[in-house]
């Protein structure tokens, strides 16, 4: 049985991508070893489903469409930068959600429940933290350089962008990085 690495995401506008790319360029100037997310691959992940049997993809699309159809479309903007797991040991650099944070959490919850009920998604112990990944930091020295720059960007914002659908995505790991493809789309109300 074929399997597909699958996740659910919302897309951002091209204008937002340009602001994010300019931010990445400015942060890259400090010389830290960071694997930056390509602008075309930027998105906000709702749920990572992992490796699914291809026979389950139609059900994922159906349940996602039903759940998304019950949620109003909304505006989203980005503001603030942070790191996972924390600023003392930064591994993933991200931009946070400002406008639209409660709406994206509601969208996540609406989709999470039906997928968990049929066993396609296992709920995580930690709460959902909506964010957009900017890059992955290679080492502690690079992390220290990036964290030292973050106070300069306390007022940084990007947006707004309209969130009108959820995309069901496949992710194939390549040498150059992940390659994404849209499997299905679920319109918001």
């Amino acid at each position: 049985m074929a399997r597909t690495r699958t996740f659910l995401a919302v897309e951002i506008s091209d204008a937002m991508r340009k602001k994010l790319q300019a931010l990445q360029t400015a942060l890259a100037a400090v010389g830290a070893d960071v694997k930056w997310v390509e602008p075309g691959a930027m998105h906000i992940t709702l749920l990572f489903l992992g490796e699914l049997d291809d026979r389950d993809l139609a059900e994922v699309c159906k349940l996602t469409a039903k759940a998304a159809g019950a949620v109003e479309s909304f505006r989203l903007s980005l503001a603030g930068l942070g790191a996972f797991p924390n600023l003392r040991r930064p591994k993933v650099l991200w931009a946070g959600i400002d406008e639209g944070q409660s709406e994206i959490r509601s969208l996540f919850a609406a989709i999470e429940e039906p997928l968990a009920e049929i066993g396609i998604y296992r709920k995580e112990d930690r709460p959902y933290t909506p964010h957009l990944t900017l890059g992955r930091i290679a080492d502690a020295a690079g992390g220290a350089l990036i964290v030292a720059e973050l106070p300069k960007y306390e007022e940084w914002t990007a947006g707004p962008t309209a969130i009108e659908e959820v995309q069901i995505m496949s992710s194939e790991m390549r040498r150059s990085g992940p390659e994404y493809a849209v499997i299905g789309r679920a319109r918001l109300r």
Side-chain angles (χ1 to χ4, degrees):
M1 176 64 60
R3 298 179 65 78
T4 302
R5 192 169 191 255
T6 310
F7 66 96
L8 308 180
V10 295
E11 198 62 38
I12 61 171
S13 68
D14 288 339
M16 190 177 272
R17 284 179 207 287
K18 286 180 181 155
K19 285 186 178 183
L20 288 161
Q21 190 173 18
L23 175 65
Q24 287 175 321
T25 300
L27 290 169
V30 302
D33 187 3
V34 178
K35 172 90 169 111
W36 298 105
V37 174
E38 293 293 325
M42 291 177 176
H43 62 270
I44 299 166
T45 300
L46 289 169
L47 291 98
F48 178 74
L49 303 177
E51 297 279 337
L52 297 181
D53 285 340
D54 285 355
R55 66 178 179 225
D56 292 330
L57 293 177
E59 186 70 7
V60 168
C61 290
K62 183 177 117 187
L63 291 173
T64 301
K66 183 177 180 186
V71 176
E72 293 278 340
S73 59
F74 59 95
R75 287 167 33 114
L76 181 139
S77 62
L78 301 174
L81 304 178
F84 292 132
N86 55 52
L87 293 177
R88 290 183 309 283
R89 293 185 336 257
K91 298 282 186 207
V92 175
L93 180 65
W94 52 259
I97 309 296
D98 185 24
E99 178 185 13
Q101 187 164 140
S102 64
E103 292 89 343
I104 202 160
R105 286 179 189 273
S106 295
L107 179 59
F108 165 83
I111 297 169
E112 178 191 45
E113 195 60 40
L115 292 180
E117 282 178 10
I118 65 165
I120 298 246
Y121 179 74
R122 198 181 107 248
K123 291 185 177 185
E124 295 190 22
D125 295 334
R126 61 182 186 247
Y128 174 59
T129 304
H131 66 281
L132 186 142
T133 300
L134 293 167
R136 289 175 170 50
I137 302 166
D139 55 34
L145 288 170
I146 291 290
V147 167
E149 287 296 297
L150 295 186
K152 295 179 184 177
Y153 299 94
E154 283 180 354
E155 302 298 316
W156 179 88
T157 62
T161 192
I163 304 300
E164 297 174 344
E165 71 177 13
V166 173
Q167 295 181 337
I168 300 93
M169 306 286 292
S170 69
S171 172
E172 193 171 323
M173 298 309 288
R174 303 269 188 208
R175 205 170 245 190
S176 58
E179 187 175 295
Y180 304 136
V182 177
I183 299 171
R185 297 175 189 277
R187 299 284 301 165
L188 275 62
R189 185 172 45 162

